[in-house]
Amino acid sequence: MKQRILVTGGFGFVGSKLVELLLHKQDINIIVLDNLLSGGKLPLNVDFIYGAIRDTNLLRLLVPQVDTVIHLASIV
């Protein structure tokens, strides 16, 4: 069974680099949560959810569905 990893801010500079590295792992499914206010490129073979980490209702739905959360979202 694949491990499900949620990356907040996965469209940003650091987040997108991490997602690219994680894509080389065979046994994981990557979900990216981002509001697209800034950032780099996002690989096409990840699940993408448009949203903000301040949306507590969205987080209540997402977090129980994943095994790991990597929080990289920020506003500079």
Side-chain angles (χ1 to χ4, degrees), residues 19-30:
V19 169
E20 286 180 18
L21 290 173
L22 290 174
L23 285 172
H24 295 291
K25 303 284 185 182
Q26 298 267 337
D27 296 336
I28 62 173
N29 183 19
I30 303 166

Side-chain angles (χ1 to χ4, degrees), residues 16-48:
S16 64
K17 301 296 181 192
L18 175 67
V19 169
E20 286 180 18
L21 290 173
L22 290 174
L23 285 172
H24 295 291
K25 303 284 185 182
Q26 298 267 337
D27 296 336
I28 62 173
N29 183 19
I30 303 166
I31 303 163
V32 171
L33 171 65
D34 204 300
N35 62 7
L36 302 177
L37 290 179
S38 65
K41 60 181 183 166
L42 185 68
L44 297 176
N45 48 347
V46 299
D47 295 327
F48 175 72

